[in-house]
Amino acid sequence: MRAREVRSGQAEAGHPRPSWLRPPEDVNDLVPQLWSSTATKNTDGALQVGGVDVRELVAEHGTPAYLLDEADFRARARAFREGFKDFAVYYGGKAFLCTTVVRWVMEEGLNLDVCSGGELAVALRAGADPKRLGFHGNNKSEAELARALDAGVGRIIVDSFHEIERLTRLAAERGVVAPVMVRVTAGIEAHTHAYIATAHQDQKFGFSITTGEAFDAVARINETAELELLGLHSHIGSQIFDSSGFEMAARRLIALHARVSDELGVDMPELDLGGGFGIAYTTQDDPSDPAQLATELGKIVEHECKALDLAVPKLSIEPGRAIVGPAVCTVYTVGTTKEVALDFGESRTYVSVDGGMSDNIRTALYDADYSCTLANRYSDEGPTLSRVVGKHCESGDVVVKDEFLPADVAPGDLVAVPGTGAYCRSMASNYNHVPRPPVIAVKDGRTRVVVRRETEDDLLSLDMGAE
């Protein structure tokens, strides 16, 4: 088994750190595979991203702040478009979405997947071609479905019989035909955290292949004049590093595809294998490049279709994290440090920063691992085992569980955490009434605020008792 979202036995017996974490030769160095492609350290030891010195950026915009590397984002989008040249590639907007990102996605030739009325609103505000949008969600409201139909969304992924009924009625009222894919549950378990595994039986998404519900849903849609059956859709989970789960899912999907062809006489034109491709958060992670993934997935589908004498349908995938995750880092300011005694005479330095679980819930929610670096200067000191924690009133408010920072890290220093583009700003909260950080795009030495920092006035504006 390769890397997983959650690793059991984080620390070896008698040691305060996990077995994969080794003291660095130079604590100032970046680990390139964890950072966006333009991230470097300058001669002062300060982090630069997109040609921008983070010290200058922080002086203007403050901390915490998400730094979005435009060149890196676009390069990763292109790598998926070119690597999966025979696939339709849908950027998974739930990872991170704003109008600027929608425009980048469209400009790089990708399509866009949304899963709520709010995400759809952002896509439409950005001027996205509705035909290039896919609309997910296990409980879409009538208003959301109506908006999708009125906008002319290219495909709606249905998730329940209730939704089929709603969509049929709404399409009939409008005199249109709704293009739909059927979200199916393949009945496999991806090697990832239980909360982000989505193809096993006991969960909320999709129609089960095993029970026959998926076939029944396809048959019902095929008989409904207001719905156009495009094909099957599967998503097995997130932060996945090998193709074995996709192989099992594809085998079951194509078997269902063949049954539909044989029993209903329908050759569905499309098949979506979902997303969930992993990225490197720490040195224990080893993701595949898009071209390799495309080759592996293409061979799997081709083999299964050939075995069942089927034409290969038009394939699509939905990378989100794999595009935006590495393109973002979060910069914090250190407020306090504490050396905490551990067992066996060991110690750990707790480094408290001015953000935390309100801007990155993933460590607390998924036990996720992150790395970090001292971002504002060079240090001559050796490495010390550190834990970066937030300012919130929770002992579980941890950003980076285990990493080596210079022994002289101190209040006022900047600490940067790579790999925070996916599910950090999109899952951010106002816990403890802390305003959410801005997203600042950097490119060629220039900065541009694409999502502004929230203010206390923003928070108070929602409080109807405020004067």
Side-chain angles (χ1 to χ4, degrees):
M1 182 184 301
R2 299 179 72 189
R4 297 181 59 175
E5 185 79 11
V6 173
R7 291 90 175 173
S8 59
Q10 286 288 332
E12 295 177 329
H15 296 279
R17 61 177 170 83
S19 58
W20 53 264
L21 181 63
R22 298 285 188 261
E25 292 184 8
D26 186 342
V27 73
N28 298 283
D29 287 345
L30 298 180
V31 180
Q33 65 265 33
L34 308 185
W35 294 84
S36 67
S37 55
T38 72
T40 60
K41 290 284 188 78
N42 64 22
T43 55
D44 294 334
L47 179 67
Q48 290 189 169
V49 183
V52 176
D53 187 319
V54 298
R55 296 172 299 182
E56 298 174 4
L57 184 143
V58 167
E60 180 177 358
H61 298 284
T63 57
Y66 302 106
L67 275 60
L68 170 57
D69 186 336
E70 178 180 348
D72 187 84
F73 181 99
R74 287 181 178 273
R76 293 179 191 276
R78 286 195 297 274
F80 270 95
R81 187 196 70 214
E82 294 167 1
F84 284 85
K85 59 182 182 300
D86 296 324
F87 290 62
V89 180
Y90 284 75
Y91 171 71
K94 66 178 182 175
F96 172 69
L97 200 66
C98 66
T99 54
T100 298
V101 161
V102 173
R103 294 187 186 109
W104 293 351
V105 166
M106 295 288 133
E107 289 166 3
E108 295 300 334
L110 273 59
N111 304 312
L112 175 65
D113 177 72
V114 299
C115 61
S116 73
E119 290 182 359
L120 177 58
V122 171
L124 296 176
R125 170 68 68 87
D129 179 355
K131 295 299 182 186
R132 292 168 63 184
L133 303 180
F135 192 12
H136 266 93
N138 69 297
N139 188 29
K140 306 178 195 70
S141 69
E142 290 206 5
E144 289 174 326
L145 290 171
R147 187 172 194 179
L149 290 173
D150 292 340
V153 165
R155 63 183 193 179
I156 299 172
I157 296 86
V158 296
D159 202 277
S160 69
F161 289 109
H162 292 296
E163 184 176 359
I164 292 173
E165 294 171 1
R166 290 186 196 121
L167 193 57
T168 300
R169 175 170 47 79
L170 290 167
E173 291 172 357
R174 286 159 173 75
V176 299
V177 176
V180 301
M181 300 192 80
V182 179
R183 174 72 177 262
V184 302
T185 304
I188 66 167
E189 188 158 356
H191 296 309
T192 187
H193 192 283
Y195 288 177
I196 52 177
T198 56
H200 56 287
Q201 290 295 122
D202 189 10
Q203 48 90 31
K204 71 177 185 176
F205 290 108
F207 296 92
S208 169
I209 293 177
T210 303
T211 65
E213 284 188 343
F215 181 84
D216 292 344
V218 170
R220 183 175 302 185
I221 292 168
N222 185 54
E223 296 170 354
T224 304
E226 292 80 10
L227 305 180
E228 178 190 2
L229 177 62
L230 298 180
L232 304 177
H233 182 287
S234 171
H235 183 69
I236 62 174
S238 297
Q239 190 61 356
I240 299 167
F241 286 89
D242 60 62
S243 60
S244 60
F246 292 104
E247 181 175 1
M248 295 172 63
R251 186 176 296 120
R252 297 181 185 184
L253 283 167
I254 294 169
L256 175 58
H257 190 100
R259 183 186 172 194
V260 169
S261 179
D262 291 342
E263 298 185 23
L264 302 180
V266 176
D267 292 323
M268 295 179 289
E270 299 185 27
L271 179 66
D272 192 305
L273 298 175
F277 311 116
I279 67 170
Y281 286 106
T282 67
T283 55
Q284 64 184 321
D285 297 327
D286 183 24
S288 301
D289 64 58
Q292 178 185 344
L293 287 167
T295 297
E296 293 174 355
L297 296 187
K299 285 182 178 178
I300 289 167
V301 174
E302 184 178 357
H303 178 270
E304 294 301 317
C305 286
K306 185 176 181 180
L308 295 171
D309 195 26
L310 292 171
V312 176
K314 177 65 176 179
L315 301 174
S316 53
I317 57 164
E318 297 169 357
R321 181 200 312 264
I323 293 174
V324 72
V328 176
C329 68
T330 307
V331 181
Y332 303 96
T333 299
V334 176
T336 65
T337 63
K338 296 179 183 178
E339 186 173 354
V340 177
L342 306 174
D343 294 337
F344 306 102
E346 302 280 357
S347 67
R348 188 196 315 276
T349 299
Y350 274 69
V351 179
S352 296
V353 296
D354 55 351
M357 63 193 304
S358 61
D359 59 73
N360 187 350
I361 192 63
R362 295 187 66 259
T363 307
L365 186 62
Y366 302 135
D367 200 24
D369 292 311
Y370 283 92
S371 179
C372 62
T373 192
L374 181 65
N376 60 302
R377 62 181 175 87
Y378 181 86
S379 173
D380 290 319
E381 295 294 320
T384 185
L385 182 64
S386 303
R387 176 163 291 171
V388 179
V389 296
K391 63 183 290 181
H392 298 283
C393 195
E394 295 281 345
S395 59
D397 178 24
V398 176
V399 179
V400 181
K401 291 180 294 184
D402 302 287
E403 186 55 280
F404 286 98
L405 286 171
D408 62 348
V409 63
D413 278 330
L414 302 179
V415 169
V417 178
T420 55
Y423 307 104
C424 289
R425 180 57 175 81
S426 64
M427 297 177 76
S429 73
N430 294 126
Y431 182 48
N432 292 153
H433 279 64
V434 173
R436 288 176 290 185
V439 181
I440 303 170
V442 292
K443 182 184 180 184
D444 298 332
R446 299 188 300 273
T447 64
R448 177 162 58 111
V449 177
V450 296
V451 179
R452 71 166 174 82
R453 184 183 300 280
E454 283 186 331
T455 66
E456 290 179 356
D457 285 342
D458 291 324
L459 301 183
L460 292 173
S461 70
L462 301 176
D463 188 336
M464 301 309 293
E467 297 182 0

